[in-house]
Amino acid sequence: SVLSPALPWLLPSLLVTMLMLPGPGAAAAPSAAALCAPDQPPGQWLAPTAAAPRLLPAAELLGWMAEAQAVLLGERHDSAEDHRWQLQVLAQLHARRPALALGLEMFPRRLQPVLDDWVAGRLSEAEFLRRSEWDQVWGFDARLYLPLFHFARMNRLPMLALNVERGVVAQVGRRGFDALDETAREGVGRPAAPPPAYRQMLAQIFQSHPGPGDAAGASSAPAPDPQALERFIGAQAFWDRAMAEVIAAQLAREPARLVVGILGGGHVRDGHGVAHQLRDLGVQRIGALLTWERAESCQALGETLADGLHLIDPPRDDAPPRLGIAMAPDAQGVRMSAVTPGSLAEKTGLRAGD
């Protein structure tokens, strides 16, 4: 199948498309190896099937996405190419579905009035960044995100603050969901139980986190505390739930409006994160799109990774130097879940799990 389980409502359209594919005797489709070869031109969409990734016509894929209730665009936060791609997809979805809202992981819920003022044209760019506490609540180079914000403002599209305060997620990781009252949780409800595959992935991340004085993955490291592991998994599910609730609330207010979510890829991949929580909240028509660097191996693809992958080839000098880390909640607060190869963090000796 070229569609993940998130898109069952598109099956009739897909069957029509499949009937229009070339039959025997037509030119052979590119092989999996060819699709991921370094000389494969970027700008194409792939259906992420591990055995044989297939090219997807952009018009069909984006037409399907425009029929969804929510479309999640996963990103690497410090990738300028990912944000250029997000803007391109956002513009194409807006052309097909003008009633659109933009959900943003970058902002905690308390900053929603600031986003409203920006969209209404009441703030300058500098005022928006200052009042939204950009350097404190997010910190990545604002130039990566400003084209998205300006697109929303230019077209008067609602911008939604999807997140909660970082400290709330950390508290769930340290103390557990039941230890926090509704106010301390910023009103976020109990998450749906994470899928087994998501639990397994999160457990692998948790187990790679070294204890004091231990190297990551060292055989002498003690077995992980089961309760700490459960709190860690619970914190990630809570984080996903928080963002899903804002999207679901927007859809409840305006069912005809498409919500496009700008999120870290970890919240999008395989439908385990925000999409899983959305389905529990009654939102069923969910699309998920990601980028894929053309130099990456197709062996890492899986059928449920996303509904479409956009092949990219970022310029080597794409962005200003960044620390190059991704953070995730931890039982003790936060930890580095990934370190970008060649980044300042890697050069100074930091590694995933620290």
Side-chain angles (χ1 to χ4, degrees):
S1 170
V2 298
L3 296 179
S4 80
L7 295 179
W9 85 95
L10 296 179
L11 186 56
S13 298
L14 175 59
L15 291 174
V16 171
T17 301
M18 291 175 65
L19 290 172
M20 297 173 64
L21 293 176
S31 68
L35 287 175
C36 285
D39 61 352
Q40 180 70 20
Q44 303 182 75
W45 286 98
L46 295 183
T49 55
R54 299 182 183 182
L55 290 174
L56 282 173
E60 276 92 345
L61 176 63
L62 294 169
W64 297 335
M65 293 295 108
E67 296 178 16
Q69 294 170 280
V71 176
L72 309 179
L73 304 182
E75 66 177 45
R76 285 163 287 196
H77 300 315
D78 60 355
S79 169
E81 194 80 344
D82 278 10
H83 297 300
R84 297 179 190 117
W85 163 77
Q86 287 173 329
L87 180 61
Q88 173 183 296
V89 174
L90 179 64
Q92 293 186 70
L93 289 175
H94 181 250
R96 291 168 168 82
R97 186 98 170 261
L100 185 150
L102 189 62
L104 298 156
E105 178 190 1
M106 300 83 234
F107 301 103
R109 297 174 177 192
R110 66 179 173 83
L111 293 175
Q112 185 61 53
V114 180
L115 272 59
D116 295 341
D117 284 347
W118 165 258
V119 170
R122 290 191 284 267
L123 300 176
S124 69
E125 187 178 285
E127 289 171 328
F128 172 67
L129 294 177
R130 177 179 56 80
R131 285 187 51 192
S132 68
E133 304 169 29
W134 180 263
D135 289 336
Q136 291 74 45
V137 302
W138 197 241
F140 288 93
D141 192 335
R143 291 174 293 177
L144 300 175
Y145 292 88
L146 279 167
L148 292 165
F149 303 159
H150 277 287
F151 184 90
R153 175 186 174 119
M154 179 184 297
N155 294 286
R156 293 300 192 260
L157 306 178
M159 288 170 53
L160 309 175
L162 298 184
N163 222 328
V164 292
E165 300 290 347
R166 266 185 212 168
V168 177
V169 179
Q171 282 291 318
V172 174
R174 282 195 293 266
R175 301 171 56 197
F177 179 88
D178 291 324
L180 278 68
D181 62 23
E182 185 176 0
T183 300
R185 299 193 311 265
E186 295 191 25
V188 178
R190 186 178 298 278
Y198 198 32
R199 289 182 57 87
Q200 182 179 5
M201 184 270 289
L202 292 173
Q204 291 172 348
I205 294 174
F206 181 82
Q207 289 164 6
S208 72
H209 178 55
D214 292 322
S219 60
S220 61
D225 175 3
Q227 292 185 343
L229 172 60
E230 286 303 313
R231 290 195 299 271
F232 173 74
I233 294 173
Q236 186 71 28
F238 175 88
W239 195 1
D240 293 327
R241 182 71 170 205
M243 293 191 282
E245 285 186 351
V246 178
I247 295 173
Q250 171 64 40
L251 290 169
R253 289 192 299 271
E254 296 183 279
R257 191 179 290 272
L258 170 65
V259 179
V260 176
I262 303 295
L263 312 168
H267 296 288
V268 176
R269 293 186 190 97
D270 295 301
H272 292 157
V274 171
H276 177 70
Q277 299 298 329
L278 279 170
R279 286 190 288 272
D280 185 66
L281 291 164
V283 179
Q284 299 299 323
R285 303 199 312 276
I286 308 161
L289 302 175
L290 295 165
T291 61
W292 193 263
E293 291 199 25
R294 62 179 184 165
E296 295 182 78
S297 170
C298 279
Q299 299 306 312
L301 297 179
E303 290 192 12
T304 63
L305 182 62
D307 298 304
L309 300 176
H310 195 256
L311 281 178
I312 62 170
D313 184 22
R316 292 184 181 179
D317 57 349
D318 204 22
R322 301 292 299 174
L323 183 55
I325 62 171
M327 295 183 294
D330 182 81
Q332 284 73 47
V334 294
R335 58 165 181 78
M336 284 181 282
S337 59
V339 175
T340 303
S343 66
L344 296 176
E346 184 183 60
K347 291 174 183 176
T348 57
L350 296 175
R351 60 185 184 273
D354 287 350

mmCIF file with all atom_site columns, all heavy atoms in Angstrom, residues 39-60:
data_model
loop_
_atom_site.group_PDB
_atom_site.id
_atom_site.type_symbol
_atom_site.label_atom_id
_atom_site.label_alt_id
_atom_site.label_comp_id
_atom_site.label_asym_id
_atom_site.label_entity_id
_atom_site.label_seq_id
_atom_site.pdbx_PDB_ins_code
_atom_site.Cartn_x
_atom_site.Cartn_y
_atom_site.Cartn_z
_atom_site.occupancy
_atom_site.B_iso_or_equiv
_atom_site.pdbx_formal_charge
_atom_site.auth_seq_id
_atom_site.auth_comp_id
_atom_site.auth_asym_id
_atom_site.auth_atom_id
_atom_site.pdbx_PDB_model_num
ATOM 1   N N   . ASP A 1 39 ? 22.313 10.374 -7.022  1.00 0.00 ? 39 ASP A N   1
ATOM 2   C CA  . ASP A 1 39 ? 22.048 11.220 -8.180  1.00 0.00 ? 39 ASP A CA  1
ATOM 3   C C   . ASP A 1 39 ? 20.562 11.338 -8.505  1.00 0.00 ? 39 ASP A C   1
ATOM 4   O O   . ASP A 1 39 ? 20.179 11.920 -9.512  1.00 0.00 ? 39 ASP A O   1
ATOM 5   C CB  . ASP A 1 39 ? 22.803 10.693 -9.406  1.00 0.00 ? 39 ASP A CB  1
ATOM 6   C CG  . ASP A 1 39 ? 22.386 9.273  -9.783  1.00 0.00 ? 39 ASP A CG  1
ATOM 7   O OD1 . ASP A 1 39 ? 21.625 8.644  -9.012  1.00 0.00 ? 39 ASP A OD1 1
ATOM 8   O OD2 . ASP A 1 39 ? 22.834 8.788  -10.840 1.00 0.00 ? 39 ASP A OD2 1
ATOM 9   N N   . GLN A 1 40 ? 19.700 10.764 -7.658  1.00 0.00 ? 40 GLN A N   1
ATOM 10  C CA  . GLN A 1 40 ? 18.257 10.894 -7.858  1.00 0.00 ? 40 GLN A CA  1
ATOM 11  C C   . GLN A 1 40 ? 17.854 12.347 -7.608  1.00 0.00 ? 40 GLN A C   1
ATOM 12  O O   . GLN A 1 40 ? 18.169 12.906 -6.557  1.00 0.00 ? 40 GLN A O   1
ATOM 13  C CB  . GLN A 1 40 ? 17.499 9.966  -6.909  1.00 0.00 ? 40 GLN A CB  1
ATOM 14  C CG  . GLN A 1 40 ? 15.985 10.036 -7.048  1.00 0.00 ? 40 GLN A CG  1
ATOM 15  C CD  . GLN A 1 40 ? 15.499 9.434  -8.361  1.00 0.00 ? 40 GLN A CD  1
ATOM 16  O OE1 . GLN A 1 40 ? 16.212 8.672  -8.976  1.00 0.00 ? 40 GLN A OE1 1
ATOM 17  N NE2 . GLN A 1 40 ? 14.301 9.787  -8.772  1.00 0.00 ? 40 GLN A NE2 1
ATOM 18  N N   . PRO A 1 41 ? 17.163 12.998 -8.545  1.00 0.00 ? 41 PRO A N   1
ATOM 19  C CA  . PRO A 1 41 ? 16.843 14.417 -8.347  1.00 0.00 ? 41 PRO A CA  1
ATOM 20  C C   . PRO A 1 41 ? 15.909 14.627 -7.163  1.00 0.00 ? 41 PRO A C   1
ATOM 21  O O   . PRO A 1 41 ? 14.956 13.860 -6.969  1.00 0.00 ? 41 PRO A O   1
ATOM 22  C CB  . PRO A 1 41 ? 16.175 14.817 -9.670  1.00 0.00 ? 41 PRO A CB  1
ATOM 23  C CG  . PRO A 1 41 ? 15.707 13.538 -10.270 1.00 0.00 ? 41 PRO A CG  1
ATOM 24  C CD  . PRO A 1 41 ? 16.674 12.491 -9.838  1.00 0.00 ? 41 PRO A CD  1
ATOM 25  N N   . PRO A 1 42 ? 16.157 15.644 -6.350  1.00 0.00 ? 42 PRO A N   1
ATOM 26  C CA  . PRO A 1 42 ? 15.241 15.955 -5.250  1.00 0.00 ? 42 PRO A CA  1
ATOM 27  C C   . PRO A 1 42 ? 13.948 16.559 -5.782  1.00 0.00 ? 42 PRO A C   1
ATOM 28  O O   . PRO A 1 42 ? 13.788 16.797 -6.976  1.00 0.00 ? 42 PRO A O   1
ATOM 29  C CB  . PRO A 1 42 ? 16.035 16.972 -4.420  1.00 0.00 ? 42 PRO A CB  1
ATOM 30  C CG  . PRO A 1 42 ? 16.939 17.624 -5.416  1.00 0.00 ? 42 PRO A CG  1
ATOM 31  C CD  . PRO A 1 42 ? 17.296 16.560 -6.425  1.00 0.00 ? 42 PRO A CD  1
ATOM 32  N N   . GLY A 1 43 ? 13.018 16.801 -4.872  1.00 0.00 ? 43 GLY A N   1
ATOM 33  C CA  . GLY A 1 43 ? 11.760 17.418 -5.258  1.00 0.00 ? 43 GLY A CA  1
ATOM 34  C C   . GLY A 1 43 ? 10.675 16.438 -5.616  1.00 0.00 ? 43 GLY A C   1
ATOM 35  O O   . GLY A 1 43 ? 9.599  16.841 -6.069  1.00 0.00 ? 43 GLY A O   1
ATOM 36  N N   . GLN A 1 44 ? 10.921 15.140 -5.419  1.00 0.00 ? 44 GLN A N   1
ATOM 37  C CA  . GLN A 1 44 ? 9.925  14.120 -5.730  1.00 0.00 ? 44 GLN A CA  1
ATOM 38  C C   . GLN A 1 44 ? 9.328  13.567 -4.437  1.00 0.00 ? 44 GLN A C   1
ATOM 39  O O   . GLN A 1 44 ? 9.948  13.625 -3.386  1.00 0.00 ? 44 GLN A O   1
ATOM 40  C CB  . GLN A 1 44 ? 10.566 12.983 -6.528  1.00 0.00 ? 44 GLN A CB  1
ATOM 41  C CG  . GLN A 1 44 ? 11.237 13.445 -7.814  1.00 0.00 ? 44 GLN A CG  1
ATOM 42  C CD  . GLN A 1 44 ? 11.808 12.293 -8.596  1.00 0.00 ? 44 GLN A CD  1
ATOM 43  O OE1 . GLN A 1 44 ? 11.086 11.545 -9.232  1.00 0.00 ? 44 GLN A OE1 1
ATOM 44  N NE2 . GLN A 1 44 ? 13.121 12.128 -8.548  1.00 0.00 ? 44 GLN A NE2 1
ATOM 45  N N   . TRP A 1 45 ? 8.127  13.034 -4.561  1.00 0.00 ? 45 TRP A N   1
ATOM 46  C CA  . TRP A 1 45 ? 7.450  12.412 -3.430  1.00 0.00 ? 45 TRP A CA  1
ATOM 47  C C   . TRP A 1 45 ? 7.570  10.895 -3.533  1.00 0.00 ? 45 TRP A C   1
ATOM 48  O O   . TRP A 1 45 ? 7.394  10.323 -4.609  1.00 0.00 ? 45 TRP A O   1
ATOM 49  C CB  . TRP A 1 45 ? 5.971  12.788 -3.406  1.00 0.00 ? 45 TRP A CB  1
ATOM 50  C CG  . TRP A 1 45 ? 5.705  14.193 -2.959  1.00 0.00 ? 45 TRP A CG  1
ATOM 51  C CD1 . TRP A 1 45 ? 5.481  15.279 -3.752  1.00 0.00 ? 45 TRP A CD1 1
ATOM 52  C CD2 . TRP A 1 45 ? 5.614  14.658 -1.611  1.00 0.00 ? 45 TRP A CD2 1
ATOM 53  N NE1 . TRP A 1 45 ? 5.262  16.394 -2.990  1.00 0.00 ? 45 TRP A NE1 1
ATOM 54  C CE2 . TRP A 1 45 ? 5.342  16.044 -1.668  1.00 0.00 ? 45 TRP A CE2 1
ATOM 55  C CE3 . TRP A 1 45 ? 5.746  14.042 -0.366  1.00 0.00 ? 45 TRP A CE3 1
ATOM 56  C CZ2 . TRP A 1 45 ? 5.189  16.818 -0.530  1.00 0.00 ? 45 TRP A CZ2 1
ATOM 57  C CZ3 . TRP A 1 45 ? 5.590  14.821 0.769   1.00 0.00 ? 45 TRP A CZ3 1
ATOM 58  C CH2 . TRP A 1 45 ? 5.316  16.183 0.688   1.00 0.00 ? 45 TRP A CH2 1
ATOM 59  N N   . LEU A 1 46 ? 7.844  10.256 -2.403  1.00 0.00 ? 46 LEU A N   1
ATOM 60  C CA  . LEU A 1 46 ? 7.919  8.803  -2.328  1.00 0.00 ? 46 LEU A CA  1
ATOM 61  C C   . LEU A 1 46 ? 6.826  8.266  -1.424  1.00 0.00 ? 46 LEU A C   1
ATOM 62  O O   . LEU A 1 46 ? 6.490  8.874  -0.400  1.00 0.00 ? 46 LEU A O   1
ATOM 63  C CB  . LEU A 1 46 ? 9.260  8.346  -1.744  1.00 0.00 ? 46 LEU A CB  1
ATOM 64  C CG  . LEU A 1 46 ? 10.549 8.622  -2.505  1.00 0.00 ? 46 LEU A CG  1
ATOM 65  C CD1 . LEU A 1 46 ? 11.713 7.996  -1.759  1.00 0.00 ? 46 LEU A CD1 1
ATOM 66  C CD2 . LEU A 1 46 ? 10.469 8.088  -3.910  1.00 0.00 ? 46 LEU A CD2 1
ATOM 67  N N   . ALA A 1 47 ? 6.290  7.112  -1.792  1.00 0.00 ? 47 ALA A N   1
ATOM 68  C CA  . ALA A 1 47 ? 5.488  6.312  -0.870  1.00 0.00 ? 47 ALA A CA  1
ATOM 69  C C   . ALA A 1 47 ? 6.476  5.453  -0.091  1.00 0.00 ? 47 ALA A C   1
ATOM 70  O O   . ALA A 1 47 ? 7.219  4.676  -0.688  1.00 0.00 ? 47 ALA A O   1
ATOM 71  C CB  . ALA A 1 47 ? 4.515  5.436  -1.636  1.00 0.00 ? 47 ALA A CB  1
ATOM 72  N N   . PRO A 1 48 ? 6.544  5.600  1.231   1.00 0.00 ? 48 PRO A N   1
ATOM 73  C CA  . PRO A 1 48 ? 7.620  4.965  2.012   1.00 0.00 ? 48 PRO A CA  1
ATOM 74  C C   . PRO A 1 48 ? 7.398  3.495  2.312   1.00 0.00 ? 48 PRO A C   1
ATOM 75  O O   . PRO A 1 48 ? 7.106  3.103  3.436   1.00 0.00 ? 48 PRO A O   1
ATOM 76  C CB  . PRO A 1 48 ? 7.624  5.784  3.301   1.00 0.00 ? 48 PRO A CB  1
ATOM 77  C CG  . PRO A 1 48 ? 6.212  6.194  3.472   1.00 0.00 ? 48 PRO A CG  1
ATOM 78  C CD  . PRO A 1 48 ? 5.673  6.417  2.073   1.00 0.00 ? 48 PRO A CD  1
ATOM 79  N N   . THR A 1 49 ? 7.516  2.660  1.293   1.00 0.00 ? 49 THR A N   1
ATOM 80  C CA  . THR A 1 49 ? 7.449  1.219  1.487   1.00 0.00 ? 49 THR A CA  1
ATOM 81  C C   . THR A 1 49 ? 8.854  0.659  1.422   1.00 0.00 ? 49 THR A C   1
ATOM 82  O O   . THR A 1 49 ? 9.582  0.923  0.467   1.00 0.00 ? 49 THR A O   1
ATOM 83  C CB  . THR A 1 49 ? 6.563  0.562  0.421   1.00 0.00 ? 49 THR A CB  1
ATOM 84  O OG1 . THR A 1 49 ? 7.044  0.938  -0.869  1.00 0.00 ? 49 THR A OG1 1
ATOM 85  C CG2 . THR A 1 49 ? 5.122  1.025  0.558   1.00 0.00 ? 49 THR A CG2 1
ATOM 86  N N   . ALA A 1 50 ? 9.250  -0.112 2.433   1.00 0.00 ? 50 ALA A N   1
ATOM 87  C CA  . ALA A 1 50 ? 10.631 -0.559 2.544   1.00 0.00 ? 50 ALA A CA  1
ATOM 88  C C   . ALA A 1 50 ? 11.045 -1.440 1.378   1.00 0.00 ? 50 ALA A C   1
ATOM 89  O O   . ALA A 1 50 ? 12.152 -1.341 0.863   1.00 0.00 ? 50 ALA A O   1
ATOM 90  C CB  . ALA A 1 50 ? 10.822 -1.303 3.866   1.00 0.00 ? 50 ALA A CB  1
ATOM 91  N N   . ALA A 1 51 ? 10.155 -2.337 0.956   1.00 0.00 ? 51 ALA A N   1
ATOM 92  C CA  . ALA A 1 51 ? 10.527 -3.287 -0.090  1.00 0.00 ? 51 ALA A CA  1
ATOM 93  C C   . ALA A 1 51 ? 10.728 -2.586 -1.429  1.00 0.00 ? 51 ALA A C   1
ATOM 94  O O   . ALA A 1 51 ? 11.666 -2.891 -2.159  1.00 0.00 ? 51 ALA A O   1
ATOM 95  C CB  . ALA A 1 51 ? 9.462  -4.369 -0.210  1.00 0.00 ? 51 ALA A CB  1
ATOM 96  N N   . ALA A 1 52 ? 9.861  -1.667 -1.759  1.00 0.00 ? 52 ALA A N   1
ATOM 97  C CA  . ALA A 1 52 ? 9.948  -1.002 -3.064  1.00 0.00 ? 52 ALA A CA  1
ATOM 98  C C   . ALA A 1 52 ? 9.318  0.380  -2.986  1.00 0.00 ? 52 ALA A C   1
ATOM 99  O O   . ALA A 1 52 ? 8.142  0.550  -3.329  1.00 0.00 ? 52 ALA A O   1
ATOM 100 C CB  . ALA A 1 52 ? 9.257  -1.837 -4.135  1.00 0.00 ? 52 ALA A CB  1
ATOM 101 N N   . PRO A 1 53 ? 10.052 1.391  -2.498  1.00 0.00 ? 53 PRO A N   1
ATOM 102 C CA  . PRO A 1 53 ? 9.501  2.750  -2.469  1.00 0.00 ? 53 PRO A CA  1
ATOM 103 C C   . PRO A 1 53 ? 9.032  3.173  -3.859  1.00 0.00 ? 53 PRO A C   1
ATOM 104 O O   . PRO A 1 53 ? 9.674  2.863  -4.857  1.00 0.00 ? 53 PRO A O   1
ATOM 105 C CB  . PRO A 1 53 ? 10.689 3.596  -2.007  1.00 0.00 ? 53 PRO A CB  1
ATOM 106 C CG  . PRO A 1 53 ? 11.590 2.643  -1.306  1.00 0.00 ? 53 PRO A CG  1
ATOM 107 C CD  . PRO A 1 53 ? 11.436 1.339  -2.012  1.00 0.00 ? 53 PRO A CD  1
ATOM 108 N N   . ARG A 1 54 ? 7.897  3.855  -3.909  1.00 0.00 ? 54 ARG A N   1
ATOM 109 C CA  . ARG A 1 54 ? 7.323  4.242  -5.187  1.00 0.00 ? 54 ARG A CA  1
ATOM 110 C C   . ARG A 1 54 ? 7.181  5.751  -5.257  1.00 0.00 ? 54 ARG A C   1
ATOM 111 O O   . ARG A 1 54 ? 6.932  6.412  -4.256  1.00 0.00 ? 54 ARG A O   1
ATOM 112 C CB  . ARG A 1 54 ? 5.942  3.597  -5.362  1.00 0.00 ? 54 ARG A CB  1
ATOM 113 C CG  . ARG A 1 54 ? 5.976  2.079  -5.344  1.00 0.00 ? 54 ARG A CG  1
ATOM 114 C CD  . ARG A 1 54 ? 4.603  1.510  -5.568  1.00 0.00 ? 54 ARG A CD  1
ATOM 115 N NE  . ARG A 1 54 ? 4.604  0.056  -5.482  1.00 0.00 ? 54 ARG A NE  1
ATOM 116 C CZ  . ARG A 1 54 ? 3.544  -0.699 -5.683  1.00 0.00 ? 54 ARG A CZ  1
ATOM 117 N NH1 . ARG A 1 54 ? 2.387  -0.138 -5.960  1.00 0.00 ? 54 ARG A NH1 1
ATOM 118 N NH2 . ARG A 1 54 ? 3.624  -2.014 -5.591  1.00 0.00 ? 54 ARG A NH2 1
ATOM 119 N N   . LEU A 1 55 ? 7.317  6.263  -6.473  1.00 0.00 ? 55 LEU A N   1
ATOM 120 C CA  . LEU A 1 55 ? 7.081  7.680  -6.679  1.00 0.00 ? 55 LEU A CA  1
ATOM 121 C C   . LEU A 1 55 ? 5.591  7.973  -6.578  1.00 0.00 ? 55 LEU A C   1
ATOM 122 O O   . LEU A 1 55 ? 4.762  7.186  -7.050  1.00 0.00 ? 55 LEU A O   1
ATOM 123 C CB  . LEU A 1 55 ? 7.601  8.108  -8.052  1.00 0.00 ? 55 LEU A CB  1
ATOM 124 C CG  . LEU A 1 55 ? 9.123  8.111  -8.224  1.00 0.00 ? 55 LEU A CG  1
ATOM 125 C CD1 . LEU A 1 55 ? 9.486  8.413  -9.668  1.00 0.00 ? 55 LEU A CD1 1
ATOM 126 C CD2 . LEU A 1 55 ? 9.768  9.128  -7.292  1.00 0.00 ? 55 LEU A CD2 1
ATOM 127 N N   . LEU A 1 56 ? 5.269  9.095  -5.948  1.00 0.00 ? 56 LEU A N   1
ATOM 128 C CA  . LEU A 1 56 ? 3.881  9.538  -5.829  1.00 0.00 ? 56 LEU A CA  1
ATOM 129 C C   . LEU A 1 56 ? 3.718  10.851 -6.585  1.00 0.00 ? 56 LEU A C   1
ATOM 130 O O   . LEU A 1 56 ? 4.476  11.792 -6.356  1.00 0.00 ? 56 LEU A O   1
ATOM 131 C CB  . LEU A 1 56 ? 3.518  9.778  -4.359  1.00 0.00 ? 56 LEU A CB  1
ATOM 132 C CG  . LEU A 1 56 ? 3.227  8.570  -3.483  1.00 0.00 ? 56 LEU A CG  1
ATOM 133 C CD1 . LEU A 1 56 ? 3.058  9.022  -2.036  1.00 0.00 ? 56 LEU A CD1 1
ATOM 134 C CD2 . LEU A 1 56 ? 1.978  7.856  -3.950  1.00 0.00 ? 56 LEU A CD2 1
ATOM 135 N N   . PRO A 1 57 ? 2.756  10.960 -7.501  1.00 0.00 ? 57 PRO A N   1
ATOM 136 C CA  . PRO A 1 57 ? 2.511  12.249 -8.156  1.00 0.00 ? 57 PRO A CA  1
ATOM 137 C C   . PRO A 1 57 ? 2.104  13.295 -7.120  1.00 0.00 ? 57 PRO A C   1
ATOM 138 O O   . PRO A 1 57 ? 1.211  13.064 -6.302  1.00 0.00 ? 57 PRO A O   1
ATOM 139 C CB  . PRO A 1 57 ? 1.364  11.941 -9.126  1.00 0.00 ? 57 PRO A CB  1
ATOM 140 C CG  . PRO A 1 57 ? 1.397  10.452 -9.315  1.00 0.00 ? 57 PRO A CG  1
ATOM 141 C CD  . PRO A 1 57 ? 1.875  9.890  -8.012  1.00 0.00 ? 57 PRO A CD  1
ATOM 142 N N   . ALA A 1 58 ? 2.759  14.428 -7.156  1.00 0.00 ? 58 ALA A N   1
ATOM 143 C CA  . ALA A 1 58 ? 2.510  15.464 -6.150  1.00 0.00 ? 58 ALA A CA  1
ATOM 144 C C   . ALA A 1 58 ? 1.053  15.911 -6.144  1.00 0.00 ? 58 ALA A C   1
ATOM 145 O O   . ALA A 1 58 ? 0.466  16.123 -5.077  1.00 0.00 ? 58 ALA A O   1
ATOM 146 C CB  . ALA A 1 58 ? 3.432  16.656 -6.397  1.00 0.00 ? 58 ALA A CB  1
ATOM 147 N N   . ALA A 1 59 ? 0.462  16.068 -7.328  1.00 0.00 ? 59 ALA A N   1
ATOM 148 C CA  . ALA A 1 59 ? -0.915 16.563 -7.389  1.00 0.00 ? 59 ALA A CA  1
ATOM 149 C C   . ALA A 1 59 ? -1.877 15.625 -6.682  1.00 0.00 ? 59 ALA A C   1
ATOM 150 O O   . ALA A 1 59 ? -2.764 16.075 -5.938  1.00 0.00 ? 59 ALA A O   1
ATOM 151 C CB  . ALA A 1 59 ? -1.335 16.757 -8.844  1.00 0.00 ? 59 ALA A CB  1
ATOM 152 N N   . GLU A 1 60 ? -1.694 14.303 -6.894  1.00 0.00 ? 60 GLU A N   1
ATOM 153 C CA  . GLU A 1 60 ? -2.573 13.343 -6.243  1.00 0.00 ? 60 GLU A CA  1
ATOM 154 C C   . GLU A 1 60 ? -2.369 13.339 -4.735  1.00 0.00 ? 60 GLU A C   1
ATOM 155 O O   . GLU A 1 60 ? -3.329 13.387 -3.960  1.00 0.00 ? 60 GLU A O   1
ATOM 156 C CB  . GLU A 1 60 ? -2.353 11.933 -6.801  1.00 0.00 ? 60 GLU A CB  1
ATOM 157 C CG  . GLU A 1 60 ? -3.105 11.638 -8.071  1.00 0.00 ? 60 GLU A CG  1
ATOM 158 C CD  . GLU A 1 60 ? -2.268 11.955 -9.303  1.00 0.00 ? 60 GLU A CD  1
ATOM 159 O OE1 . GLU A 1 60 ? -1.243 12.661 -9.173  1.00 0.00 ? 60 GLU A OE1 1
ATOM 160 O OE2 . GLU A 1 60 ? -2.642 11.498 -10.389 1.00 0.00 ? 60 GLU A OE2 1
#
